[in-house]
Amino acid sequence: MKAIFDERQLKHNPERYFRRGAYIPHPEQPERAILIRDMLVKNGFAIDTPSDYGVEPIKAVHDPAYVDFWKDAHARWRAEAGDAEAIPTYHPGRRAGRPSSSIYGQLGWWATDTSVPLTENTYEAIYWSAQTAIEAANRVVGGERMVYGLCRPPGHHALSNGANGFCIFNNAAVAAQELRKSYGKVAVFDIDTHTGNGTMDIFYDRADVFVCSLHVDPDVYPTYYLGYADETGEGAGQGATLNLTLQPGDGVEAILTRFREGVKAIQNFGADALVISLGFDMAEDDPLSVVGMTGEGFATMAREIVAMDLPTALIQEGGYLGPSLQNNAEVFLTTCRDELLKTG
Ligand SMILES: [Zn+2]
């Protein structure tokens, strides 16, 4: 099993995250990807860099104006505000109105919260994170059974036209859309501890991409607002969204029981190819976690994902700087590799 990674993804370097009334060090650090990259090297994974596929595959799932905005947003911010991290603080209300010509107004227009500080090299990092996902999908289309895209920053909270939850470009959605060029029905299975609200938003009215998200109940845990069990898609996409919720304090057995409901639903959908939005932030010692996932639990998920026997792009999402991040990534990815070797 190959891995895809580009060092330019490390260039996004957010400092601060405004959480529960106070600034804390931003959890989405380059170090996350460095730990996983080093683990891949240690375990002998071949790591390839992505080709440059341009912005068109990104615009296939995002508002083109949204994609274009980010390219020079930081330069515009710096011209107005100096070197400070660009953190959006003005946001449209329920009646959205219309975009402003001001960089302050535009930043808030295209970002739904304050969690995505824009730094000098953010665009380069999100661009190559998306290219990493596209490369992983294209390798799968080319016949590789499973490919791991070490994408960072993550993507699954990014809406079609709004940055959210540390995410700007939705890497998993981009990968799913790429897979659709060759496969009739694609499923996205999101096992990050937070709702895949962006992926859901992008595919909510489509019947060709099934989105299943396993996450902690949005009534009591971020992302809030989206990801309730009764959200099942709309229009042609009615029935092609499945939200499987966990409760704070749930342990491995409860998590795996709900996970298996997702496996079954994806099989019933008849998916021809699969994207895993792979978060490790369900881990019991992850700084953002409220559930009790273990390394052994991640190994079980890995085995059961391989057993689904589908062409699969693994796209990295969350998982923060807790003691077990590197170990959980190692257990999950080496289990996938070893199971694939066993099944030939
Ligand atoms: Zn997460």
Side-chain angles (χ1 to χ4, degrees), residues 246-257 282 290-294:
L246 303 168
Q247 291 306 312
D250 276 355
V252 177
E253 283 316 307
I255 295 168
L256 289 176
T257 297
M282 279 192 192
V290 294
V291 294
M293 190 58 162
T294 61

Side-chain angles (χ1 to χ4, degrees), residues 23-62:
Y23 272 118
I24 63 168
H26 203 291
E28 204 291 289
Q29 287 298 310
E31 183 70 15
R32 301 174 53 242
I34 292 169
L35 285 171
I36 296 176
R37 179 201 62 190
D38 291 352
M39 177 281 294
L40 293 169
V41 171
K42 190 187 89 183
N43 283 283
F45 282 90
I47 305 178
D48 289 349
T49 53
S51 299
D52 187 349
Y53 296 94
V55 290
E56 289 315 311
I58 305 171
K59 290 181 175 177
V61 299
H62 287 290

Side-chain angles (χ1 to χ4, degrees), residues 69-313:
F69 165 74
W70 296 102
K71 190 159 192 181
D72 66 349
H74 187 265
R76 291 177 59 203
W77 172 275
R78 193 158 51 182
E80 289 273 337
D83 273 338
E85 248 184 357
I87 297 177
T89 50
Y90 304 95
H91 300 278
R94 264 58 175 178
R95 280 170 56 84
R98 69 185 87 169
S100 147
S101 61
S102 150
I103 182 61
Y104 302 112
Q106 287 189 2
L107 192 59
W109 180 263
W110 296 122
T112 65
D113 63 25
T114 60
S115 76
V116 189
L118 184 59
T119 67
E120 187 178 358
N121 299 307
T122 296
Y123 183 79
E124 201 176 352
I126 59 175
Y127 181 84
W128 287 103
S129 190
Q131 301 303 319
T132 294
I134 298 163
E135 186 70 51
N138 282 342
R139 298 295 181 93
V140 170
V141 167
E144 293 183 41
R145 164 81 160 75
M146 184 176 273
V147 179
Y148 171 58
L150 176 43
C151 295
R152 183 272 159 188
H156 71 146
H157 299 308
L159 312 162
S160 61
N161 61 1
N164 176 264
F166 315 163
C167 301
I168 298 178
F169 292 160
N170 194 314
N171 307 311
V174 170
Q177 185 69 26
E178 282 297 295
L179 290 173
R180 271 289 291 112
K181 291 178 181 171
S182 300
Y183 299 99
K185 293 169 100 178
V186 174
V188 180
F189 194 6
D190 187 319
I191 59 170
D192 186 282
T193 203
H194 302 94
T195 311
N197 56 328
T199 316
M200 198 191 317
D201 173 65
I202 287 167
F203 295 118
Y204 205 58
D205 60 358
R206 284 175 51 173
D208 57 331
V209 180
F210 185 82
V211 177
C212 175
S213 180
L214 172 67
H215 51 258
V216 177
D217 188 348
D219 186 46
V220 294
Y221 186 72
T223 58
Y224 303 117
Y225 317 129
L226 282 180
Y228 294 94
D230 62 358
E231 294 161 25
T232 56
E234 67 187 10
Q238 185 62 53
T241 293
L242 177 64
N243 288 292
L244 301 169
T245 58
L246 303 168
Q247 291 306 312
D250 276 355
V252 177
E253 283 316 307
I255 295 168
L256 289 176
T257 297
R258 299 242 77 180
F259 167 81
R260 288 170 182 141
E261 290 177 47
V263 171
K264 197 164 288 177
I266 289 166
Q267 287 165 339
N268 289 341
F269 170 70
D272 304 309
L274 181 64
V275 173
I276 302 291
S277 265
L278 180 59
F280 294 114
D281 46 7
M282 279 192 192
E284 55 193 348
D285 60 4
D286 186 283
L288 300 187
S289 182
V290 294
V291 294
M293 190 58 162
T294 61
E296 211 167 301
F298 281 116
T300 301
M301 281 187 175
R303 272 192 298 276
E304 296 184 12
I305 286 168
V306 172
M308 291 171 80
D309 201 21
L310 289 169
T312 301

